[in-house]
Amino acid sequence: MSEQTGFTLNETDLPKQWYNVLADSPVPPQPVLHPGTKEPVTPEFLSVLFPMELILQEISTDRFIDIPQEVSDIYKLYRPTPLIRARRLEKVLGTPAHIYYKNESVSPVGSHKPNTAIPQAFYNKAAGTKAITTETGAGQWGTALAMACNFFEMDLEVYMVKISYQQKPYRRIFMETYGAQVFASPTDRTDFGRSLLAKDPENGGSLGIAISEAVEVAAKSGGTKKYSLGSVLNHVLMHQTVIGEEALKQMDLAGEYPDVVIGCVGGGSNFAGIAYPFLRQNLKDGQRTRLLAVEPTATPSLTKGVYAFDYGDTAMMAPIVKMHTLGHTFMPAGIHAGGLRYHGMAPSLSALYDAGYIEAVAIPQVGTFEAAVMFTKAEGILPAPESAHAIRVAIDEALDAKVKGEKRVILFNLSGHGHFDMMSYQQYLSGMLVDYAYPSAAVAEAIQTLPQVEMAGLV
Ligand SMILES: *Cc1c(COP(=O)(O)O)cnc(C)c1O
């Protein structure tokens, strides 16, 4: 065993293809339904929102899809990303476990989100799109797409959840620096936004509402604007698999193979990005790595939600997909992991979880920040509150291995840094942060609003 800490790849090791889990998934994909008719959507319906190349990727069952040269050229600004063995953290914990993390915080915007923002901007540009609309919660996705649209010279409108817009001015300014326009959602720019403001001018917004606004603007633009989503969809998760493909090579360099792969889940993209290539090795190569998704107890869509057809947004304008959901009317508590506050979960991940190929756990935020501070002190990197969920569970795995005297190999995805989340660290450090669990009664109530899907054989 080498004493190496960092396992770096060269530009020439950059993956040439994305991995499409639908080629190998033992659970068949469920249809995507039109929000009005509740019949399977047609490519024509989707083409109002997305360029055809991304629609084809969305429904593709090809195992691998080539990464265009123009996309690789931009990936090279920050990829391949480092794989680090957290030796200092291991020492602090006194564990026989080996802990590795894939550091996606080294991208220019500080998270994994450019892995899909860049190809989405590329395929839009190639299709002649002039402007894109999107939503953002904490601002990570908006920033990534703002960078990508700037590289490909397209306009971008970002509908930013109002509470984040007010609490995170630096993320907004970051997006504006790339040339994006940023609006506090709900806005008076859409019918849906106006209807909400008429009822409650103080509405602080939610990711579901911001998605509705961005979708409405694109849908009513007469074809001049397309819409882009930063998580949940098949093509988004597929673009993120560069993380896991690199990690496979890097674990090989380290001379080890993970017993468990851990990632936090909001819509599921960074977790799928690191986990799906390892799932392929489980399915095709006889490996037995546990794949562990971590969510906050405040938005427990996998562990407490239902697996059902639901709308992707609050206004019921986005397609209906089968997923683990807390209901599209879900209003999240103001926890600090803003990127994890979505009501649903990626359909492919939901199906794999339902069938037992993936494990999930929900954890409260105080222990999460405790782990974040431990990691900051040991490894020097201050993680995003979202990523700290993966760190918490990686630490718990390492402590469990210690109790059992096992040499467990743990790999987690460090999805981003927390340099724009200092207010939440301040709250934690001053003892003001409290735990919150989404009440089961609220889940039961929201589930009453699920769409009635009556097609034979669907549910
Ligand atoms: C957006 C975000 C997440 C959550 O989104 P996923 O699609 O589940 O990955 C997690 N971590 C960071 C740093 C993010 O920006």
PDB file of all heavy atoms in Angstrom, residues 111-113 140 231 264-270 339-340 384 386-387 415-416, ligand 1:
ATOM      1  N   SER A 111     -18.766  23.463  -7.429  1.00  0.00           N
ATOM      2  CA  SER A 111     -19.589  22.262  -7.250  1.00  0.00           C
ATOM      3  C   SER A 111     -19.522  21.386  -8.500  1.00  0.00           C
ATOM      4  O   SER A 111     -18.910  21.757  -9.506  1.00  0.00           O
ATOM      5  CB  SER A 111     -21.055  22.631  -6.977  1.00  0.00           C
ATOM      6  OG  SER A 111     -21.692  23.013  -8.182  1.00  0.00           O
ATOM      7  N   HIS A 112     -20.230  20.233  -8.408  1.00  0.00           N
ATOM      8  CA  HIS A 112     -20.291  19.297  -9.539  1.00  0.00           C
ATOM      9  C   HIS A 112     -21.196  19.781 -10.658  1.00  0.00           C
ATOM     10  O   HIS A 112     -21.218  19.208 -11.733  1.00  0.00           O
ATOM     11  CB  HIS A 112     -20.816  17.948  -9.027  1.00  0.00           C
ATOM     12  CG  HIS A 112     -22.253  18.019  -8.580  1.00  0.00           C
ATOM     13  ND1 HIS A 112     -22.645  18.703  -7.443  1.00  0.00           N
ATOM     14  CD2 HIS A 112     -23.400  17.533  -9.129  1.00  0.00           C
ATOM     15  CE1 HIS A 112     -23.954  18.614  -7.314  1.00  0.00           C
ATOM     16  NE2 HIS A 112     -24.438  17.911  -8.311  1.00  0.00           N
ATOM     17  N   LYS A 113     -22.000  20.824 -10.428  1.00  0.00           N
ATOM     18  CA  LYS A 113     -23.052  21.203 -11.377  1.00  0.00           C
ATOM     19  C   LYS A 113     -22.563  21.536 -12.805  1.00  0.00           C
ATOM     20  O   LYS A 113     -23.292  21.275 -13.763  1.00  0.00           O
ATOM     21  CB  LYS A 113     -23.862  22.374 -10.807  1.00  0.00           C
ATOM     22  CG  LYS A 113     -24.618  22.030  -9.505  1.00  0.00           C
ATOM     23  CD  LYS A 113     -26.036  21.673  -9.752  1.00  0.00           C
ATOM     24  CE  LYS A 113     -26.864  21.228  -8.575  1.00  0.00           C
ATOM     25  NZ  LYS A 113     -26.500  21.587  -7.231  1.00  0.00           N
ATOM     26  N   GLN A 140     -26.188  27.314  -6.580  1.00  0.00           N
ATOM     27  CA  GLN A 140     -25.113  26.519  -7.186  1.00  0.00           C
ATOM     28  C   GLN A 140     -25.413  26.198  -8.657  1.00  0.00           C
ATOM     29  O   GLN A 140     -24.549  26.339  -9.513  1.00  0.00           O
ATOM     30  CB  GLN A 140     -24.951  25.190  -6.431  1.00  0.00           C
ATOM     31  CG  GLN A 140     -24.446  25.327  -5.018  1.00  0.00           C
ATOM     32  CD  GLN A 140     -22.934  25.245  -4.934  1.00  0.00           C
ATOM     33  OE1 GLN A 140     -22.249  25.528  -5.904  1.00  0.00           O
ATOM     34  NE2 GLN A 140     -22.427  24.880  -3.781  1.00  0.00           N
ATOM     35  N   SER A 231     -30.893  18.852 -12.202  1.00  0.00           N
ATOM     36  CA  SER A 231     -30.844  17.556 -11.528  1.00  0.00           C
ATOM     37  C   SER A 231     -32.009  16.699 -12.029  1.00  0.00           C
ATOM     38  O   SER A 231     -32.648  17.057 -13.025  1.00  0.00           O
ATOM     39  CB  SER A 231     -30.922  17.749 -10.006  1.00  0.00           C
ATOM     40  OG  SER A 231     -30.695  16.525  -9.339  1.00  0.00           O
ATOM     41  N   CYS A 264     -24.591  12.758  -1.031  1.00  0.00           N
ATOM     42  CA  CYS A 264     -25.825  13.410  -0.596  1.00  0.00           C
ATOM     43  C   CYS A 264     -26.799  13.439  -1.771  1.00  0.00           C
ATOM     44  O   CYS A 264     -26.383  13.375  -2.931  1.00  0.00           O
ATOM     45  CB  CYS A 264     -25.549  14.824  -0.092  1.00  0.00           C
ATOM     46  SG  CYS A 264     -24.957  15.967  -1.361  1.00  0.00           S
ATOM     47  N   VAL A 265     -28.111  13.505  -1.463  1.00  0.00           N
ATOM     48  CA  VAL A 265     -29.093  13.561  -2.543  1.00  0.00           C
ATOM     49  C   VAL A 265     -30.086  14.710  -2.362  1.00  0.00           C
ATOM     50  O   VAL A 265     -30.704  14.864  -1.321  1.00  0.00           O
ATOM     51  CB  VAL A 265     -29.890  12.235  -2.701  1.00  0.00           C
ATOM     52  CG1 VAL A 265     -29.040  11.174  -3.364  1.00  0.00           C
ATOM     53  CG2 VAL A 265     -30.452  11.740  -1.383  1.00  0.00           C
ATOM     54  N   GLY A 266     -30.189  15.527  -3.401  1.00  0.00           N
ATOM     55  CA  GLY A 266     -31.237  16.543  -3.503  1.00  0.00           C
ATOM     56  C   GLY A 266     -32.186  16.029  -4.566  1.00  0.00           C
ATOM     57  O   GLY A 266     -33.227  15.439  -4.290  1.00  0.00           O
ATOM     58  N   GLY A 267     -31.785  16.184  -5.824  1.00  0.00           N
ATOM     59  CA  GLY A 267     -32.501  15.544  -6.931  1.00  0.00           C
ATOM     60  C   GLY A 267     -31.826  14.247  -7.339  1.00  0.00           C
ATOM     61  O   GLY A 267     -32.367  13.469  -8.117  1.00  0.00           O
ATOM     62  N   GLY A 268     -30.606  14.036  -6.847  1.00  0.00           N
ATOM     63  CA  GLY A 268     -29.916  12.762  -7.072  1.00  0.00           C
ATOM     64  C   GLY A 268     -28.725  12.796  -8.022  1.00  0.00           C
ATOM     65  O   GLY A 268     -28.109  11.761  -8.263  1.00  0.00           O
ATOM     66  N   SER A 269     -28.347  13.973  -8.535  1.00  0.00           N
ATOM     67  CA  SER A 269     -27.365  13.960  -9.630  1.00  0.00           C
ATOM     68  C   SER A 269     -25.932  13.686  -9.192  1.00  0.00           C
ATOM     69  O   SER A 269     -25.218  12.936  -9.850  1.00  0.00           O
ATOM     70  CB  SER A 269     -27.450  15.233 -10.462  1.00  0.00           C
ATOM     71  OG  SER A 269     -26.867  16.337  -9.813  1.00  0.00           O
ATOM     72  N   ASN A 270     -25.480  14.294  -8.078  1.00  0.00           N
ATOM     73  CA  ASN A 270     -24.072  14.041  -7.733  1.00  0.00           C
ATOM     74  C   ASN A 270     -23.906  12.622  -7.195  1.00  0.00           C
ATOM     75  O   ASN A 270     -22.881  11.976  -7.435  1.00  0.00           O
ATOM     76  CB  ASN A 270     -23.521  15.118  -6.781  1.00  0.00           C
ATOM     77  CG  ASN A 270     -23.749  14.823  -5.311  1.00  0.00           C
ATOM     78  OD1 ASN A 270     -22.947  14.141  -4.679  1.00  0.00           O
ATOM     79  ND2 ASN A 270     -24.865  15.308  -4.759  1.00  0.00           N
ATOM     80  N   GLY A 339     -29.536  23.106  -1.407  1.00  0.00           N
ATOM     81  CA  GLY A 339     -29.540  22.273  -2.604  1.00  0.00           C
ATOM     82  C   GLY A 339     -30.248  20.942  -2.418  1.00  0.00           C
ATOM     83  O   GLY A 339     -30.406  20.187  -3.366  1.00  0.00           O
ATOM     84  N   LEU A 340     -30.683  20.653  -1.206  1.00  0.00           N
ATOM     85  CA  LEU A 340     -31.335  19.359  -0.954  1.00  0.00           C
ATOM     86  C   LEU A 340     -32.829  19.528  -0.686  1.00  0.00           C
ATOM     87  O   LEU A 340     -33.478  18.628  -0.176  1.00  0.00           O
ATOM     88  CB  LEU A 340     -30.663  18.651   0.238  1.00  0.00           C
ATOM     89  CG  LEU A 340     -29.148  18.455   0.165  1.00  0.00           C
ATOM     90  CD1 LEU A 340     -28.650  17.675   1.381  1.00  0.00           C
ATOM     91  CD2 LEU A 340     -28.731  17.734  -1.110  1.00  0.00           C
ATOM     92  N   ALA A 384     -19.644  22.309   1.348  1.00  0.00           N
ATOM     93  CA  ALA A 384     -21.024  22.787   1.246  1.00  0.00           C
ATOM     94  C   ALA A 384     -21.865  22.024   2.265  1.00  0.00           C
ATOM     95  O   ALA A 384     -21.609  20.843   2.517  1.00  0.00           O
ATOM     96  CB  ALA A 384     -21.563  22.533  -0.163  1.00  0.00           C
ATOM     97  N   GLU A 386     -24.622  20.753   1.856  1.00  0.00           N
ATOM     98  CA  GLU A 386     -25.168  19.573   1.165  1.00  0.00           C
ATOM     99  C   GLU A 386     -24.165  18.417   1.269  1.00  0.00           C
ATOM    100  O   GLU A 386     -24.485  17.310   1.706  1.00  0.00           O
ATOM    101  CB  GLU A 386     -25.428  19.880  -0.323  1.00  0.00           C
ATOM    102  CG  GLU A 386     -26.560  20.869  -0.584  1.00  0.00           C
ATOM    103  CD  GLU A 386     -26.114  22.323  -0.533  1.00  0.00           C
ATOM    104  OE1 GLU A 386     -24.949  22.588  -0.142  1.00  0.00           O
ATOM    105  OE2 GLU A 386     -26.924  23.215  -0.873  1.00  0.00           O
ATOM    106  N   SER A 387     -22.919  18.710   0.860  1.00  0.00           N
ATOM    107  CA  SER A 387     -21.875  17.672   0.850  1.00  0.00           C
ATOM    108  C   SER A 387     -21.603  17.144   2.249  1.00  0.00           C
ATOM    109  O   SER A 387     -21.190  15.987   2.414  1.00  0.00           O
ATOM    110  CB  SER A 387     -20.576  18.250   0.287  1.00  0.00           C
ATOM    111  OG  SER A 387     -20.823  19.072  -0.828  1.00  0.00           O
ATOM    112  N   SER A 415     -19.396  17.074  -3.076  1.00  0.00           N
ATOM    113  CA  SER A 415     -20.061  17.694  -4.229  1.00  0.00           C
ATOM    114  C   SER A 415     -19.757  19.175  -4.385  1.00  0.00           C
ATOM    115  O   SER A 415     -19.888  19.727  -5.480  1.00  0.00           O
ATOM    116  CB  SER A 415     -21.573  17.465  -4.146  1.00  0.00           C
ATOM    117  OG  SER A 415     -22.082  17.918  -2.902  1.00  0.00           O
ATOM    118  N   GLY A 416     -19.327  19.837  -3.288  1.00  0.00           N
ATOM    119  CA  GLY A 416     -18.999  21.257  -3.454  1.00  0.00           C
ATOM    120  C   GLY A 416     -18.415  21.853  -2.189  1.00  0.00           C
ATOM    121  O   GLY A 416     -18.463  21.244  -1.114  1.00  0.00           O
TER     122      GLY A 416
HETATM  123  C1  LIG B   1     -27.131  21.057  -6.082  1.00  0.00           C
HETATM  124  C2  LIG B   1     -26.209  20.449  -5.113  1.00  0.00           C
HETATM  125  C3  LIG B   1     -26.497  19.237  -4.480  1.00  0.00           C
HETATM  126  C4  LIG B   1     -27.799  18.502  -4.639  1.00  0.00           C
HETATM  127  O1  LIG B   1     -28.173  18.165  -5.928  1.00  0.00           O
HETATM  128  P1  LIG B   1     -28.012  16.696  -6.526  1.00  0.00           P
HETATM  129  O2  LIG B   1     -28.648  16.783  -7.860  1.00  0.00           O
HETATM  130  O3  LIG B   1     -28.702  15.749  -5.614  1.00  0.00           O
HETATM  131  O4  LIG B   1     -26.561  16.443  -6.607  1.00  0.00           O
HETATM  132  C5  LIG B   1     -25.549  18.687  -3.644  1.00  0.00           C
HETATM  133  N1  LIG B   1     -24.383  19.313  -3.403  1.00  0.00           N
HETATM  134  C6  LIG B   1     -24.083  20.493  -3.982  1.00  0.00           C
HETATM  135  C7  LIG B   1     -22.775  21.133  -3.669  1.00  0.00           C
HETATM  136  C8  LIG B   1     -24.969  21.097  -4.857  1.00  0.00           C
HETATM  137  O5  LIG B   1     -24.666  22.252  -5.442  1.00  0.00           O
END
